[in-house]
Amino acid sequence: MKLTYGNGTLHTQQAVTHDGIKCITIKQAPKAMPIGSTPAEWEKQTPEDQIDVILAFNNIEGARTLQDELNELIAIWSREMAEVV
């Protein structure tokens, strides 16, 4: 599955699964919304079967691993952008 950020159709939120595991949920929206907006339905509990992706973290090391990968991607992208300008 390929999910593409930047067009406003993916909504990402911090959450906790029904069994208490911290996670990040990603849900695709039928139409784009402004970046940083919060859909009204997220104020209530959402069943797991209505979420497209759940990234569950059993411990802080798991979350840090994802953070490290994203930081590396951002660093590479930033260097590439600096070379183009």
Side-chain angles (χ1 to χ4, degrees):
M1 174 187 292
K2 178 181 178 180
L3 300 174
T4 303
Y5 277 86
N7 61 7
T9 59
L10 289 180
H11 301 269
T12 306
Q13 181 182 26
Q14 297 173 36
V16 177
T17 63
H18 69 280
D19 52 352
I21 296 175
K22 291 175 176 47
C23 65
I24 294 174
T25 62
I26 303 171
K27 187 174 181 182
Q28 291 187 301
K31 63 177 186 167
M33 292 181 64
I35 305 270
S37 64
T38 303
E41 66 267 16
W42 280 8
E43 298 301 321
K44 60 185 178 196
Q45 196 170 20
T46 304
E48 288 185 16
D49 64 344
Q50 293 181 13
I51 302 294
D52 294 308
V53 176
I54 300 173
L55 300 174
F57 301 97
N58 287 328
N59 52 50
I60 195 168
E61 289 81 14
R64 284 186 176 144
T65 300
L66 177 61
Q67 181 183 31
D68 290 345
E69 292 296 328
L70 289 171
N71 286 340
E72 183 64 24
L73 176 65
I74 292 166
I76 291 168
W77 198 347
S78 296
R79 284 193 301 269
E80 289 174 355
M81 289 176 63
E83 292 173 4
V84 172
V85 175

